[in-house]
Amino acid sequence: MANPVKRVLALHGYSQNAVVFSKRIGALRKESNELEFVFINAPHLLQAADLHGEQSQADAEPGSLADMQSNPETAMRGWWKANKERTKVTGLEESLLAIREVLKNQRFDGVFGFSQGAAFAAVISSLLERPELYKPFQVDGQPPHPPFEFCVAISGFRVLDPFCDPFFTPHYSTPTLHVIGKTDVVVINERSRHLVDVSANKRVEEHEGGHFVPSKSKWRKFLAAYMRDSSAPLASPTAISESATSSGTSTPNAGMSYSNAVLMKS
């Protein structure tokens, strides 16, 4: 097996964790042995109060929430918690300091995030360009890591808390692939477009599904190719004809213990 030529920081969504996200994009991980995904857990364990309403179906799962949260493989986590209006978040600063420690000790070519993880990926990408905007993110007055070569934001959105406004004023410059689900009802198209609007070096692709990482063959090949070389003139996956034998998986939750449709309380 060839040695990986690209290391990718992988950031899970709200109420997921590193193990769950790794399983959910297992087909993508197998697409290229030139990509090494490094999955990081968000620092905040979620409580029952964080999972109420349409965002959660935790009470439909076997076992108690306490049992789930005591198991590292099932514990639901978040990079921050948002108020109902999504205008204020808590816990983001702690997540930035946690990721700073990862970036101090490891090197990555790019970042791949889903939903809240995609929003966080954009924040990190911006701060690596201008770390002086949040001095605690710096290490001895310097960024903890060079700017990323690329950012992949699946079902991403712009964090609307005023704390993040300087990071996106007027924009951030890391080459970013924005992937939007046409039928996504968790992070609707309009919310994703707010992040697109502050991305100076962007590519936008839409898939026919909802709130998940598209995993049909054409999408796996496209995403892997983009991460290998984000500047390459890649054909859009929506323009690639899909053979009947390469159908992939178009639903987000097969075989998993809790639903993507309830995950991303942003």
Side-chain angles (χ1 to χ4, degrees):
M1 178 182 295
N3 292 327
V5 296
K6 297 285 185 178
R7 297 189 81 235
V8 183
L9 178 64
L11 305 177
H12 63 78
Y14 189 86
S15 78
Q16 287 183 336
N17 60 36
V19 172
V20 168
F21 193 40
S22 174
K23 291 178 179 178
R24 292 222 170 140
I25 65 169
L28 174 61
R29 289 191 292 109
K30 295 175 182 176
E31 187 63 42
S32 174
N33 59 13
E34 296 177 342
L35 298 173
E36 177 189 1
F37 289 87
V38 180
F39 295 84
I40 304 297
N41 271 327
H44 305 294
L45 284 172
L46 303 181
Q47 307 301 320
D50 305 317
L51 303 169
H52 286 166
E54 64 180 3
Q55 299 290 349
S56 177
Q57 295 175 0
D59 57 358
E61 302 298 336
S64 68
L65 180 61
D67 289 339
M68 290 178 64
Q69 296 305 78
S70 65
N71 184 338
E73 293 197 0
T74 60
M76 294 179 285
R77 295 173 174 268
W79 300 104
W80 60 80
K81 302 172 188 178
N83 64 358
K84 183 177 180 180
E85 296 75 23
R86 301 192 182 107
T87 57
K88 185 68 177 176
V89 303
T90 57
L92 176 56
E93 293 93 334
E94 291 88 342
S95 289
L96 285 172
L97 295 182
I99 213 72
R100 180 195 66 177
E101 295 306 302
V102 174
L103 296 173
K104 280 170 52 179
N105 298 303
Q106 300 188 55
R107 283 292 177 264
F108 302 94
D109 296 282
V111 61
F112 182 101
F114 172 67
S115 198
Q116 193 186 73
F120 192 37
V123 170
I124 298 167
S125 296
S126 175
L127 275 176
L128 289 178
E129 297 171 17
R130 296 184 291 167
E132 69 277 4
L133 294 177
Y134 185 55
K135 294 189 181 300
F137 190 66
Q138 296 178 317
V139 178
D140 297 327
Q142 300 297 320
H145 188 285
F148 292 133
E149 294 177 15
F150 62 85
C151 171
V152 178
I154 312 288
S155 296
F157 55 90
R158 177 178 174 178
V159 186
L160 296 180
D161 190 300
F163 171 77
C164 291
D165 286 348
F167 309 157
F168 300 120
T169 303
H171 50 66
Y172 73 105
S173 300
T174 301
T176 301
L177 171 64
H178 303 269
V179 178
I180 301 171
K182 290 183 179 180
T183 59
D184 192 336
V185 296
V186 179
V187 177
I188 62 173
N189 191 293
E190 181 182 5
R191 289 186 70 201
S192 287
R193 294 287 173 176
H194 290 160
L195 182 60
V196 172
D197 289 344
V198 295
S199 179
N201 191 352
K202 60 200 169 196
R203 176 166 181 169
V204 181
E205 296 288 345
E206 294 186 333
H207 64 93
E208 296 297 328
H211 196 66
F212 57 88
V213 179
S215 61
K216 289 186 177 181
S217 176
K218 60 182 178 180
W219 275 98
R220 297 197 309 270
K221 294 181 185 303
F222 170 74
L223 291 170
Y226 180 88
M227 288 183 279
R228 286 194 296 266
D229 183 0
S230 61
S231 64
L234 302 173
S236 170
T238 61
I240 301 172
S241 61
E242 185 78 349
S243 71
T245 59
S246 302
S247 59
T249 303
S250 60
T251 57
N253 300 313
M256 301 310 299
S257 60
Y258 27 93
S259 168
N260 250 357
V262 304
L263 291 180
M264 303 307 145
K265 182 179 179 183
S266 56

